[in-house]
Amino acid sequence: MKIGIITTTVREGRQSLNVANWVKKLADERKDGVNYEIVDLKDFNLPIFGAAATAEQGKAIEAWGNKINELDGFIFVTAEYNHSFSGVLKNALDFLKPQFANKAAALIGYGGVGAARAIEQLRLVLAELSVATTQRNVNLLLAADFINFSEFNPQSYQLPSVTELLDQVTAWSKALKTIR
Ligand SMILES: Cc1cc2nc3c(=O)[nH]c(=O)nc-3n(C[C@H](O)[C@H](O)[C@H](O)COP(=O)(O)O)c2cc1C
């Protein structure tokens, strides 16, 4: 079983890859037989959905679709931009539909209030893509899990939530595989 840990921001100085690397380390330590992989949206460099795409951008769209297709589940690492998830992520999601269907996802957020609002909005969009989102989120706080609001330094009290989230997303990813 393959689960992708998806970064959802691409700006210079972003935190998403730091958080994603932390999640991958914790997931790998479980030695649960699942193959956890970081899927960095920045690597795909997707064009704006609907705009004319160059041949190279066409290949990027195809690579993005193939990557999501080969995964059984997802952990979205989401920031909060203006009380929602990033425009870059929404743009990337709009390219795909069947590749996501009947799979599970868990959401890990970071922000002033742990990206709680972004997470709830992302759930609604994923529902339309027939992705089942787990009950457990992880909400990393800029004031507590980052030094000076900028250096990622997660508190140990977050660990039980990560374990619960990974338990839920692996169980649902496995279960949903049976209906695809
Ligand atoms: C355009 C923009 C909008 C933001 N809006 C919010 C917000 O609504 N709520 C919040 O808690 N943090 C907000 N922030 C702060 C982000 O949570 C923080 O900068 C975080 O590190 C962004 O993720 P990134 O580093 O992966 O880009 C915003 C940051 C940016 C750049």
PDB file of all heavy atoms in Angstrom, residues 44-82:
ATOM      1  N   PHE A  44       5.974  19.522  -9.477  1.00  0.00           N
ATOM      2  CA  PHE A  44       5.162  19.338 -10.685  1.00  0.00           C
ATOM      3  C   PHE A  44       5.049  20.625 -11.509  1.00  0.00           C
ATOM      4  O   PHE A  44       4.886  20.577 -12.716  1.00  0.00           O
ATOM      5  CB  PHE A  44       3.770  18.800 -10.303  1.00  0.00           C
ATOM      6  CG  PHE A  44       3.848  17.398  -9.788  1.00  0.00           C
ATOM      7  CD1 PHE A  44       4.015  17.133  -8.442  1.00  0.00           C
ATOM      8  CD2 PHE A  44       3.817  16.322 -10.664  1.00  0.00           C
ATOM      9  CE1 PHE A  44       4.134  15.834  -7.958  1.00  0.00           C
ATOM     10  CE2 PHE A  44       3.930  15.013 -10.206  1.00  0.00           C
ATOM     11  CZ  PHE A  44       4.088  14.774  -8.840  1.00  0.00           C
ATOM     12  N   ASN A  45       5.124  21.774 -10.831  1.00  0.00           N
ATOM     13  CA  ASN A  45       5.103  23.049 -11.540  1.00  0.00           C
ATOM     14  C   ASN A  45       3.935  23.110 -12.540  1.00  0.00           C
ATOM     15  O   ASN A  45       4.125  23.365 -13.739  1.00  0.00           O
ATOM     16  CB  ASN A  45       6.448  23.245 -12.256  1.00  0.00           C
ATOM     17  CG  ASN A  45       6.686  24.695 -12.599  1.00  0.00           C
ATOM     18  OD1 ASN A  45       6.039  25.581 -12.048  1.00  0.00           O
ATOM     19  ND2 ASN A  45       7.593  24.949 -13.524  1.00  0.00           N
ATOM     20  N   LEU A  46       2.743  22.843 -12.018  1.00  0.00           N
ATOM     21  CA  LEU A  46       1.550  22.769 -12.877  1.00  0.00           C
ATOM     22  C   LEU A  46       1.157  24.144 -13.408  1.00  0.00           C
ATOM     23  O   LEU A  46       1.332  25.149 -12.715  1.00  0.00           O
ATOM     24  CB  LEU A  46       0.373  22.195 -12.078  1.00  0.00           C
ATOM     25  CG  LEU A  46       0.523  20.743 -11.627  1.00  0.00           C
ATOM     26  CD1 LEU A  46      -0.535  20.392 -10.579  1.00  0.00           C
ATOM     27  CD2 LEU A  46       0.424  19.804 -12.829  1.00  0.00           C
ATOM     28  N   PRO A  47       0.600  24.198 -14.617  1.00  0.00           N
ATOM     29  CA  PRO A  47       0.070  25.478 -15.115  1.00  0.00           C
ATOM     30  C   PRO A  47      -1.262  25.781 -14.426  1.00  0.00           C
ATOM     31  O   PRO A  47      -1.778  24.967 -13.680  1.00  0.00           O
ATOM     32  CB  PRO A  47      -0.146  25.194 -16.604  1.00  0.00           C
ATOM     33  CG  PRO A  47      -0.428  23.735 -16.663  1.00  0.00           C
ATOM     34  CD  PRO A  47       0.389  23.100 -15.574  1.00  0.00           C
ATOM     35  N   ILE A  48      -1.809  26.947 -14.704  1.00  0.00           N
ATOM     36  CA  ILE A  48      -3.152  27.283 -14.222  1.00  0.00           C
ATOM     37  C   ILE A  48      -4.149  26.412 -14.979  1.00  0.00           C
ATOM     38  O   ILE A  48      -4.094  26.324 -16.224  1.00  0.00           O
ATOM     39  CB  ILE A  48      -3.475  28.774 -14.498  1.00  0.00           C
ATOM     40  CG1 ILE A  48      -2.476  29.689 -13.790  1.00  0.00           C
ATOM     41  CG2 ILE A  48      -4.916  29.119 -14.128  1.00  0.00           C
ATOM     42  CD1 ILE A  48      -2.654  29.824 -12.310  1.00  0.00           C
ATOM     43  N   PHE A  49      -5.061  25.795 -14.235  1.00  0.00           N
ATOM     44  CA  PHE A  49      -6.046  24.931 -14.873  1.00  0.00           C
ATOM     45  C   PHE A  49      -6.858  25.718 -15.912  1.00  0.00           C
ATOM     46  O   PHE A  49      -7.373  26.803 -15.627  1.00  0.00           O
ATOM     47  CB  PHE A  49      -7.006  24.353 -13.813  1.00  0.00           C
ATOM     48  CG  PHE A  49      -8.093  23.515 -14.419  1.00  0.00           C
ATOM     49  CD1 PHE A  49      -7.837  22.222 -14.821  1.00  0.00           C
ATOM     50  CD2 PHE A  49      -9.363  24.043 -14.608  1.00  0.00           C
ATOM     51  CE1 PHE A  49      -8.821  21.448 -15.406  1.00  0.00           C
ATOM     52  CE2 PHE A  49     -10.356  23.275 -15.197  1.00  0.00           C
ATOM     53  CZ  PHE A  49     -10.080  21.972 -15.595  1.00  0.00           C
ATOM     54  N   GLY A  50      -6.971  25.166 -17.105  1.00  0.00           N
ATOM     55  CA  GLY A  50      -7.781  25.799 -18.153  1.00  0.00           C
ATOM     56  C   GLY A  50      -7.006  26.736 -19.051  1.00  0.00           C
ATOM     57  O   GLY A  50      -7.467  27.059 -20.145  1.00  0.00           O
ATOM     58  N   ALA A  51      -5.839  27.186 -18.612  1.00  0.00           N
ATOM     59  CA  ALA A  51      -5.019  28.066 -19.458  1.00  0.00           C
ATOM     60  C   ALA A  51      -4.262  27.205 -20.464  1.00  0.00           C
ATOM     61  O   ALA A  51      -4.041  26.015 -20.232  1.00  0.00           O
ATOM     62  CB  ALA A  51      -4.038  28.860 -18.595  1.00  0.00           C
ATOM     63  N   ALA A  52      -3.876  27.814 -21.583  1.00  0.00           N
ATOM     64  CA  ALA A  52      -3.125  27.062 -22.591  1.00  0.00           C
ATOM     65  C   ALA A  52      -1.841  26.526 -21.957  1.00  0.00           C
ATOM     66  O   ALA A  52      -1.160  27.251 -21.236  1.00  0.00           O
ATOM     67  CB  ALA A  52      -2.784  27.980 -23.756  1.00  0.00           C
ATOM     68  N   ALA A  53      -1.562  25.236 -22.208  1.00  0.00           N
ATOM     69  CA  ALA A  53      -0.381  24.623 -21.598  1.00  0.00           C
ATOM     70  C   ALA A  53       0.655  24.295 -22.664  1.00  0.00           C
ATOM     71  O   ALA A  53       0.308  23.856 -23.770  1.00  0.00           O
ATOM     72  CB  ALA A  53      -0.785  23.351 -20.848  1.00  0.00           C
ATOM     73  N   THR A  54       1.918  24.522 -22.342  1.00  0.00           N
ATOM     74  CA  THR A  54       2.993  24.121 -23.249  1.00  0.00           C
ATOM     75  C   THR A  54       3.108  22.592 -23.204  1.00  0.00           C
ATOM     76  O   THR A  54       2.509  21.938 -22.331  1.00  0.00           O
ATOM     77  CB  THR A  54       4.341  24.718 -22.798  1.00  0.00           C
ATOM     78  OG1 THR A  54       4.634  24.178 -21.497  1.00  0.00           O
ATOM     79  CG2 THR A  54       4.290  26.228 -22.726  1.00  0.00           C
ATOM     80  N   ALA A  55       3.903  22.023 -24.130  1.00  0.00           N
ATOM     81  CA  ALA A  55       4.088  20.569 -24.143  1.00  0.00           C
ATOM     82  C   ALA A  55       4.670  20.098 -22.814  1.00  0.00           C
ATOM     83  O   ALA A  55       4.270  19.069 -22.257  1.00  0.00           O
ATOM     84  CB  ALA A  55       5.004  20.188 -25.302  1.00  0.00           C
ATOM     85  N   GLU A  56       5.600  20.898 -22.292  1.00  0.00           N
ATOM     86  CA  GLU A  56       6.232  20.544 -21.004  1.00  0.00           C
ATOM     87  C   GLU A  56       5.202  20.556 -19.873  1.00  0.00           C
ATOM     88  O   GLU A  56       5.182  19.678 -19.001  1.00  0.00           O
ATOM     89  CB  GLU A  56       7.343  21.543 -20.719  1.00  0.00           C
ATOM     90  CG  GLU A  56       8.377  21.034 -19.727  1.00  0.00           C
ATOM     91  CD  GLU A  56       9.504  22.038 -19.559  1.00  0.00           C
ATOM     92  OE1 GLU A  56       9.866  22.683 -20.555  1.00  0.00           O
ATOM     93  OE2 GLU A  56       9.981  22.185 -18.441  1.00  0.00           O
ATOM     94  N   GLN A  57       4.334  21.568 -19.890  1.00  0.00           N
ATOM     95  CA  GLN A  57       3.292  21.646 -18.858  1.00  0.00           C
ATOM     96  C   GLN A  57       2.288  20.504 -19.007  1.00  0.00           C
ATOM     97  O   GLN A  57       1.767  19.989 -18.014  1.00  0.00           O
ATOM     98  CB  GLN A  57       2.585  23.008 -18.939  1.00  0.00           C
ATOM     99  CG  GLN A  57       3.469  24.146 -18.430  1.00  0.00           C
ATOM    100  CD  GLN A  57       2.858  25.507 -18.688  1.00  0.00           C
ATOM    101  OE1 GLN A  57       2.181  25.724 -19.696  1.00  0.00           O
ATOM    102  NE2 GLN A  57       3.095  26.433 -17.799  1.00  0.00           N
ATOM    103  N   GLY A  58       2.050  20.107 -20.268  1.00  0.00           N
ATOM    104  CA  GLY A  58       1.170  18.950 -20.505  1.00  0.00           C
ATOM    105  C   GLY A  58       1.734  17.702 -19.856  1.00  0.00           C
ATOM    106  O   GLY A  58       1.007  16.910 -19.249  1.00  0.00           O
ATOM    107  N   LYS A  59       3.043  17.537 -19.956  1.00  0.00           N
ATOM    108  CA  LYS A  59       3.709  16.388 -19.316  1.00  0.00           C
ATOM    109  C   LYS A  59       3.606  16.472 -17.795  1.00  0.00           C
ATOM    110  O   LYS A  59       3.474  15.463 -17.112  1.00  0.00           O
ATOM    111  CB  LYS A  59       5.191  16.338 -19.721  1.00  0.00           C
ATOM    112  CG  LYS A  59       5.414  15.797 -21.119  1.00  0.00           C
ATOM    113  CD  LYS A  59       6.900  15.632 -21.396  1.00  0.00           C
ATOM    114  CE  LYS A  59       7.113  15.428 -22.889  1.00  0.00           C
ATOM    115  NZ  LYS A  59       8.346  15.998 -23.377  1.00  0.00           N
ATOM    116  N   ALA A  60       3.682  17.699 -17.271  1.00  0.00           N
ATOM    117  CA  ALA A  60       3.574  17.890 -15.815  1.00  0.00           C
ATOM    118  C   ALA A  60       2.181  17.481 -15.330  1.00  0.00           C
ATOM    119  O   ALA A  60       2.034  16.819 -14.297  1.00  0.00           O
ATOM    120  CB  ALA A  60       3.850  19.350 -15.456  1.00  0.00           C
ATOM    121  N   ILE A  61       1.158  17.848 -16.105  1.00  0.00           N
ATOM    122  CA  ILE A  61      -0.222  17.482 -15.739  1.00  0.00           C
ATOM    123  C   ILE A  61      -0.358  15.952 -15.740  1.00  0.00           C
ATOM    124  O   ILE A  61      -0.953  15.360 -14.830  1.00  0.00           O
ATOM    125  CB  ILE A  61      -1.230  18.129 -16.718  1.00  0.00           C
ATOM    126  CG1 ILE A  61      -1.168  19.653 -16.624  1.00  0.00           C
ATOM    127  CG2 ILE A  61      -2.649  17.628 -16.449  1.00  0.00           C
ATOM    128  CD1 ILE A  61      -1.869  20.390 -17.771  1.00  0.00           C
ATOM    129  N   GLU A  62       0.223  15.330 -16.765  1.00  0.00           N
ATOM    130  CA  GLU A  62       0.158  13.861 -16.873  1.00  0.00           C
ATOM    131  C   GLU A  62       0.891  13.198 -15.699  1.00  0.00           C
ATOM    132  O   GLU A  62       0.386  12.239 -15.094  1.00  0.00           O
ATOM    133  CB  GLU A  62       0.801  13.432 -18.194  1.00  0.00           C
ATOM    134  CG  GLU A  62       0.383  12.059 -18.640  1.00  0.00           C
ATOM    135  CD  GLU A  62       1.080  11.649 -19.938  1.00  0.00           C
ATOM    136  OE1 GLU A  62       1.360  12.525 -20.783  1.00  0.00           O
ATOM    137  OE2 GLU A  62       1.344  10.448 -20.079  1.00  0.00           O
ATOM    138  N   ALA A  63       2.051  13.727 -15.350  1.00  0.00           N
ATOM    139  CA  ALA A  63       2.834  13.159 -14.237  1.00  0.00           C
ATOM    140  C   ALA A  63       2.078  13.291 -12.920  1.00  0.00           C
ATOM    141  O   ALA A  63       2.078  12.371 -12.095  1.00  0.00           O
ATOM    142  CB  ALA A  63       4.186  13.872 -14.146  1.00  0.00           C
ATOM    143  N   TRP A  64       1.411  14.420 -12.719  1.00  0.00           N
ATOM    144  CA  TRP A  64       0.619  14.654 -11.509  1.00  0.00           C
ATOM    145  C   TRP A  64      -0.522  13.622 -11.436  1.00  0.00           C
ATOM    146  O   TRP A  64      -0.745  12.989 -10.408  1.00  0.00           O
ATOM    147  CB  TRP A  64       0.112  16.094 -11.515  1.00  0.00           C
ATOM    148  CG  TRP A  64      -0.957  16.477 -10.533  1.00  0.00           C
ATOM    149  CD1 TRP A  64      -2.185  16.997 -10.844  1.00  0.00           C
ATOM    150  CD2 TRP A  64      -0.898  16.415  -9.095  1.00  0.00           C
ATOM    151  NE1 TRP A  64      -2.893  17.262  -9.696  1.00  0.00           N
ATOM    152  CE2 TRP A  64      -2.135  16.909  -8.607  1.00  0.00           C
ATOM    153  CE3 TRP A  64       0.052  15.976  -8.179  1.00  0.00           C
ATOM    154  CZ2 TRP A  64      -2.432  16.983  -7.245  1.00  0.00           C
ATOM    155  CZ3 TRP A  64      -0.240  16.045  -6.818  1.00  0.00           C
ATOM    156  CH2 TRP A  64      -1.471  16.548  -6.371  1.00  0.00           C
ATOM    157  N   GLY A  65      -1.210  13.428 -12.520  1.00  0.00           N
ATOM    158  CA  GLY A  65      -2.312  12.446 -12.567  1.00  0.00           C
ATOM    159  C   GLY A  65      -1.810  11.029 -12.317  1.00  0.00           C
ATOM    160  O   GLY A  65      -2.420  10.264 -11.558  1.00  0.00           O
ATOM    161  N   ASN A  66      -0.686  10.682 -12.928  1.00  0.00           N
ATOM    162  CA  ASN A  66      -0.132   9.334 -12.742  1.00  0.00           C
ATOM    163  C   ASN A  66       0.280   9.100 -11.289  1.00  0.00           C
ATOM    164  O   ASN A  66       0.090   8.006 -10.750  1.00  0.00           O
ATOM    165  CB  ASN A  66       1.085   9.125 -13.656  1.00  0.00           C
ATOM    166  CG  ASN A  66       0.674   9.023 -15.115  1.00  0.00           C
ATOM    167  OD1 ASN A  66      -0.490   8.750 -15.424  1.00  0.00           O
ATOM    168  ND2 ASN A  66       1.619   9.247 -16.022  1.00  0.00           N
ATOM    169  N   LYS A  67       0.860  10.125 -10.686  1.00  0.00           N
ATOM    170  CA  LYS A  67       1.301   9.988  -9.283  1.00  0.00           C
ATOM    171  C   LYS A  67       0.101   9.737  -8.364  1.00  0.00           C
ATOM    172  O   LYS A  67       0.116   8.832  -7.537  1.00  0.00           O
ATOM    173  CB  LYS A  67       2.082  11.253  -8.867  1.00  0.00           C
ATOM    174  CG  LYS A  67       2.549  11.289  -7.434  1.00  0.00           C
ATOM    175  CD  LYS A  67       3.319  10.046  -7.016  1.00  0.00           C
ATOM    176  CE  LYS A  67       4.660   9.909  -7.686  1.00  0.00           C
ATOM    177  NZ  LYS A  67       5.332   8.611  -7.342  1.00  0.00           N
ATOM    178  N   ILE A  68      -0.946  10.546  -8.523  1.00  0.00           N
ATOM    179  CA  ILE A  68      -2.131  10.367  -7.660  1.00  0.00           C
ATOM    180  C   ILE A  68      -2.787   9.013  -7.932  1.00  0.00           C
ATOM    181  O   ILE A  68      -3.225   8.317  -7.022  1.00  0.00           O
ATOM    182  CB  ILE A  68      -3.135  11.538  -7.876  1.00  0.00           C
ATOM    183  CG1 ILE A  68      -2.509  12.855  -7.400  1.00  0.00           C
ATOM    184  CG2 ILE A  68      -4.473  11.282  -7.163  1.00  0.00           C
ATOM    185  CD1 ILE A  68      -2.030  12.873  -5.952  1.00  0.00           C
ATOM    186  N   ASN A  69      -2.782   8.616  -9.186  1.00  0.00           N
ATOM    187  CA  ASN A  69      -3.376   7.328  -9.562  1.00  0.00           C
ATOM    188  C   ASN A  69      -2.704   6.151  -8.858  1.00  0.00           C
ATOM    189  O   ASN A  69      -3.354   5.201  -8.448  1.00  0.00           O
ATOM    190  CB  ASN A  69      -3.250   7.169 -11.076  1.00  0.00           C
ATOM    191  CG  ASN A  69      -4.357   6.334 -11.647  1.00  0.00           C
ATOM    192  OD1 ASN A  69      -5.485   6.356 -11.136  1.00  0.00           O
ATOM    193  ND2 ASN A  69      -4.058   5.577 -12.671  1.00  0.00           N
ATOM    194  N   GLU A  70      -1.396   6.236  -8.686  1.00  0.00           N
ATOM    195  CA  GLU A  70      -0.664   5.082  -8.132  1.00  0.00           C
ATOM    196  C   GLU A  70      -0.734   5.012  -6.603  1.00  0.00           C
ATOM    197  O   GLU A  70      -0.326   4.016  -6.013  1.00  0.00           O
ATOM    198  CB  GLU A  70       0.805   5.100  -8.595  1.00  0.00           C
ATOM    199  CG  GLU A  70       1.677   6.108  -7.905  1.00  0.00           C
ATOM    200  CD  GLU A  70       3.127   6.097  -8.412  1.00  0.00           C
ATOM    201  OE1 GLU A  70       3.329   5.890  -9.628  1.00  0.00           O
ATOM    202  OE2 GLU A  70       4.025   6.297  -7.604  1.00  0.00           O
ATOM    203  N   LEU A  71      -1.268   6.074  -5.977  1.00  0.00           N
ATOM    204  CA  LEU A  71      -1.337   6.099  -4.507  1.00  0.00           C
ATOM    205  C   LEU A  71      -2.665   5.539  -4.009  1.00  0.00           C
ATOM    206  O   LEU A  71      -3.700   5.694  -4.663  1.00  0.00           O
ATOM    207  CB  LEU A  71      -1.143   7.534  -4.008  1.00  0.00           C
ATOM    208  CG  LEU A  71       0.241   8.148  -4.305  1.00  0.00           C
ATOM    209  CD1 LEU A  71       0.233   9.653  -4.045  1.00  0.00           C
ATOM    210  CD2 LEU A  71       1.324   7.467  -3.475  1.00  0.00           C
ATOM    211  N   ASP A  72      -2.634   4.914  -2.825  1.00  0.00           N
ATOM    212  CA  ASP A  72      -3.862   4.358  -2.225  1.00  0.00           C
ATOM    213  C   ASP A  72      -4.476   5.309  -1.206  1.00  0.00           C
ATOM    214  O   ASP A  72      -5.636   5.162  -0.836  1.00  0.00           O
ATOM    215  CB  ASP A  72      -3.534   3.035  -1.527  1.00  0.00           C
ATOM    216  CG  ASP A  72      -2.983   2.022  -2.503  1.00  0.00           C
ATOM    217  OD1 ASP A  72      -3.698   1.686  -3.452  1.00  0.00           O
ATOM    218  OD2 ASP A  72      -1.823   1.579  -2.324  1.00  0.00           O
ATOM    219  N   GLY A  73      -3.687   6.241  -0.709  1.00  0.00           N
ATOM    220  CA  GLY A  73      -4.194   7.182   0.294  1.00  0.00           C
ATOM    221  C   GLY A  73      -3.278   8.394   0.349  1.00  0.00           C
ATOM    222  O   GLY A  73      -2.200   8.401  -0.262  1.00  0.00           O
ATOM    223  N   PHE A  74      -3.733   9.391   1.103  1.00  0.00           N
ATOM    224  CA  PHE A  74      -3.023  10.677   1.094  1.00  0.00           C
ATOM    225  C   PHE A  74      -2.994  11.296   2.490  1.00  0.00           C
ATOM    226  O   PHE A  74      -3.944  11.142   3.265  1.00  0.00           O
ATOM    227  CB  PHE A  74      -3.735  11.677   0.163  1.00  0.00           C
ATOM    228  CG  PHE A  74      -4.141  11.074  -1.146  1.00  0.00           C
ATOM    229  CD1 PHE A  74      -5.433  10.620  -1.352  1.00  0.00           C
ATOM    230  CD2 PHE A  74      -3.203  10.905  -2.156  1.00  0.00           C
ATOM    231  CE1 PHE A  74      -5.804  10.019  -2.555  1.00  0.00           C
ATOM    232  CE2 PHE A  74      -3.560  10.318  -3.358  1.00  0.00           C
ATOM    233  CZ  PHE A  74      -4.851   9.879  -3.552  1.00  0.00           C
ATOM    234  N   ILE A  75      -1.914  11.991   2.759  1.00  0.00           N
ATOM    235  CA  ILE A  75      -1.865  12.877   3.920  1.00  0.00           C
ATOM    236  C   ILE A  75      -1.551  14.260   3.352  1.00  0.00           C
ATOM    237  O   ILE A  75      -0.459  14.482   2.800  1.00  0.00           O
ATOM    238  CB  ILE A  75      -0.779  12.440   4.925  1.00  0.00           C
ATOM    239  CG1 ILE A  75      -1.088  11.032   5.450  1.00  0.00           C
ATOM    240  CG2 ILE A  75      -0.700  13.437   6.085  1.00  0.00           C
ATOM    241  CD1 ILE A  75       0.058  10.386   6.206  1.00  0.00           C
ATOM    242  N   PHE A  76      -2.533  15.143   3.412  1.00  0.00           N
ATOM    243  CA  PHE A  76      -2.315  16.510   2.923  1.00  0.00           C
ATOM    244  C   PHE A  76      -1.723  17.335   4.065  1.00  0.00           C
ATOM    245  O   PHE A  76      -2.285  17.364   5.163  1.00  0.00           O
ATOM    246  CB  PHE A  76      -3.632  17.144   2.463  1.00  0.00           C
ATOM    247  CG  PHE A  76      -4.144  16.598   1.164  1.00  0.00           C
ATOM    248  CD1 PHE A  76      -5.006  15.508   1.141  1.00  0.00           C
ATOM    249  CD2 PHE A  76      -3.760  17.167  -0.044  1.00  0.00           C
ATOM    250  CE1 PHE A  76      -5.483  15.000  -0.069  1.00  0.00           C
ATOM    251  CE2 PHE A  76      -4.226  16.667  -1.254  1.00  0.00           C
ATOM    252  CZ  PHE A  76      -5.091  15.584  -1.263  1.00  0.00           C
ATOM    253  N   VAL A  77      -0.609  17.989   3.787  1.00  0.00           N
ATOM    254  CA  VAL A  77       0.009  18.889   4.761  1.00  0.00           C
ATOM    255  C   VAL A  77      -0.382  20.297   4.324  1.00  0.00           C
ATOM    256  O   VAL A  77       0.121  20.801   3.316  1.00  0.00           O
ATOM    257  CB  VAL A  77       1.539  18.707   4.752  1.00  0.00           C
ATOM    258  CG1 VAL A  77       2.206  19.736   5.658  1.00  0.00           C
ATOM    259  CG2 VAL A  77       1.897  17.291   5.207  1.00  0.00           C
ATOM    260  N   THR A  78      -1.336  20.891   5.045  1.00  0.00           N
ATOM    261  CA  THR A  78      -1.893  22.153   4.549  1.00  0.00           C
ATOM    262  C   THR A  78      -1.595  23.351   5.445  1.00  0.00           C
ATOM    263  O   THR A  78      -1.729  23.287   6.667  1.00  0.00           O
ATOM    264  CB  THR A  78      -3.425  22.046   4.322  1.00  0.00           C
ATOM    265  OG1 THR A  78      -3.908  23.311   3.844  1.00  0.00           O
ATOM    266  CG2 THR A  78      -4.189  21.689   5.587  1.00  0.00           C
ATOM    267  N   ALA A  79      -1.210  24.436   4.791  1.00  0.00           N
ATOM    268  CA  ALA A  79      -1.108  25.737   5.449  1.00  0.00           C
ATOM    269  C   ALA A  79      -2.509  26.358   5.455  1.00  0.00           C
ATOM    270  O   ALA A  79      -3.458  25.779   4.927  1.00  0.00           O
ATOM    271  CB  ALA A  79      -0.161  26.637   4.667  1.00  0.00           C
ATOM    272  N   GLU A  80      -2.621  27.535   6.053  1.00  0.00           N
ATOM    273  CA  GLU A  80      -3.870  28.301   5.937  1.00  0.00           C
ATOM    274  C   GLU A  80      -3.535  29.647   5.301  1.00  0.00           C
ATOM    275  O   GLU A  80      -2.744  30.418   5.847  1.00  0.00           O
ATOM    276  CB  GLU A  80      -4.504  28.500   7.314  1.00  0.00           C
ATOM    277  CG  GLU A  80      -5.837  29.221   7.233  1.00  0.00           C
ATOM    278  CD  GLU A  80      -6.633  29.107   8.518  1.00  0.00           C
ATOM    279  OE1 GLU A  80      -7.140  28.015   8.814  1.00  0.00           O
ATOM    280  OE2 GLU A  80      -6.747  30.126   9.224  1.00  0.00           O
ATOM    281  N   TYR A  81      -4.094  29.866   4.132  1.00  0.00           N
ATOM    282  CA  TYR A  81      -3.930  31.137   3.435  1.00  0.00           C
ATOM    283  C   TYR A  81      -5.303  31.817   3.406  1.00  0.00           C
ATOM    284  O   TYR A  81      -6.232  31.303   2.782  1.00  0.00           O
ATOM    285  CB  TYR A  81      -3.458  30.918   1.992  1.00  0.00           C
ATOM    286  CG  TYR A  81      -1.983  30.564   1.788  1.00  0.00           C
ATOM    287  CD1 TYR A  81      -1.506  30.333   0.504  1.00  0.00           C
ATOM    288  CD2 TYR A  81      -1.083  30.485   2.840  1.00  0.00           C
ATOM    289  CE1 TYR A  81      -0.167  30.028   0.276  1.00  0.00           C
ATOM    290  CE2 TYR A  81       0.264  30.172   2.624  1.00  0.00           C
ATOM    291  CZ  TYR A  81       0.708  29.954   1.340  1.00  0.00           C
ATOM    292  OH  TYR A  81       2.029  29.649   1.113  1.00  0.00           O
ATOM    293  N   ASN A  82      -5.420  32.946   4.082  1.00  0.00           N
ATOM    294  CA  ASN A  82      -6.695  33.685   4.114  1.00  0.00           C
ATOM    295  C   ASN A  82      -7.874  32.778   4.436  1.00  0.00           C
ATOM    296  O   ASN A  82      -8.874  32.726   3.722  1.00  0.00           O
ATOM    297  CB  ASN A  82      -6.898  34.451   2.796  1.00  0.00           C
ATOM    298  CG  ASN A  82      -5.832  35.507   2.617  1.00  0.00           C
ATOM    299  OD1 ASN A  82      -5.523  36.244   3.547  1.00  0.00           O
ATOM    300  ND2 ASN A  82      -5.233  35.569   1.436  1.00  0.00           N
TER     301      ASN A  82
END
